[in-house]
Every structure is written in C-alpha cells, then in structure tokens.
Amino acid sequence: MQSILLRIMENRQALKLIEKIQKELFKDNFEVSEIVTDLKKLREITLELNNPVVTKALRLAYEHLENNNGFFIGIPDDEPIDSKDAELEANISEENNIESFNYFLSLLTDLDKKNNLLDLKEYNKAFLSF
C-alpha cells in the first residue's frame, strides 16, 4: 500500500500544486482564497489514495483557512505531552503560522514516511480542537 501512496503523491499535478502554494508563501503572498482553491484541487487528486488521514487533513486545512483567514495551528511537537490541555495549547498559534503551514504541505510530498502520517494526524486533532 505504501508504494501506491508514494506513486500517487508523486503525481506531477499534486506536486505542482504543493510547490505553487509553497512558492507563494516564500514570496510572502498568503492569499487565502487562492490557497483554499489549490487545496481543494489537491484533495480531489488525493481522493484516489483511499487514505482518510490525508483526505481529512486537506479538508480540515482548507476549512480552517476559510473560517479563520489564516493558519493558526502550530507544528506538532516531537515529544508527547502528558496533559491533553497542554497538548492543545501547544498546537495553537496566536498568529498566522506560515512556517507550520509550509511544514504541513511538505508532509504531503512524502507519505511513505510513517512520521509524516503521524504528524498529519496531529494536525487533524489540532484542526478539530481549534
């Protein structure tokens, strides 16, 4: 199954969309409506994966961007935190977190890495608790 995931995510169209968004971020161009449109296209491409974590992550990401006009989820911590409340606080940013959004996008480029899927699950939890 992992090789199937890798092949589909190496789909040029999917990678071009991710690269396009990342280039805009690099140029300090954070246009929410454009990013949401691109994430929706990316989600359509990834539906073939039959991977609910990826599909959900993309949907939650563009819904989060639409509802908040920014990305307010921090990069998941490497170390597990004992308290649920502390974990939620650690994953919420007070301002638009471009670095975390860029990291979120980079996770999608290599789904063969177990840690990337684990981090996507952490993003999903943070989106849902936001």
Side-chain angles (χ1 to χ4, degrees), residues 8-127:
I8 292 174
M9 282 314 294
E10 285 181 349
N11 175 307
R12 282 187 177 182
Q13 188 179 5
L15 290 175
K16 279 184 178 182
L17 279 170
I18 293 169
E19 188 178 290
K20 175 187 172 210
I21 297 168
Q22 289 178 318
K23 280 182 181 177
E24 291 300 313
L25 294 178
F26 184 71
K27 293 190 281 187
D28 287 331
N29 184 13
F30 193 87
E31 181 57 48
V32 171
S33 61
E34 196 173 308
I35 292 169
V36 167
T37 300
D38 289 340
L39 288 178
K40 285 180 179 181
K41 288 178 192 171
L42 186 58
R43 184 172 180 266
E44 286 175 28
I45 294 167
T46 62
L47 282 173
E48 300 170 27
L49 289 173
N50 292 324
N51 185 324
V53 173
V54 175
T55 304
K56 186 176 189 176
L58 288 164
R59 179 181 55 81
L60 292 173
Y62 69 68
E63 287 175 353
H64 177 80
L65 287 162
E66 284 177 321
N67 294 333
N68 301 291
N69 204 34
F71 195 86
F72 296 95
I73 306 297
I75 294 174
D77 293 326
D78 287 339
E79 299 296 319
I81 297 176
D82 295 338
S83 163
K84 248 188 173 179
D85 294 336
E87 182 177 331
L88 295 180
E89 278 180 34
N91 286 332
I92 304 298
S93 295
E94 291 184 21
E95 56 189 43
N96 194 12
N97 194 329
I98 305 293
E99 181 183 355
S100 179
F101 182 54
N102 194 34
Y103 177 69
F104 171 82
L105 292 170
S106 71
L107 295 174
L108 299 168
T109 64
D110 188 358
L111 296 172
D112 241 7
K113 290 184 182 173
K114 181 182 175 188
N115 287 342
N116 286 4
L117 282 175
L118 292 175
D119 278 357
L120 283 173
K121 287 180 183 180
E122 290 302 311
Y123 271 108
N124 287 350
K125 288 179 195 173
F127 287 134

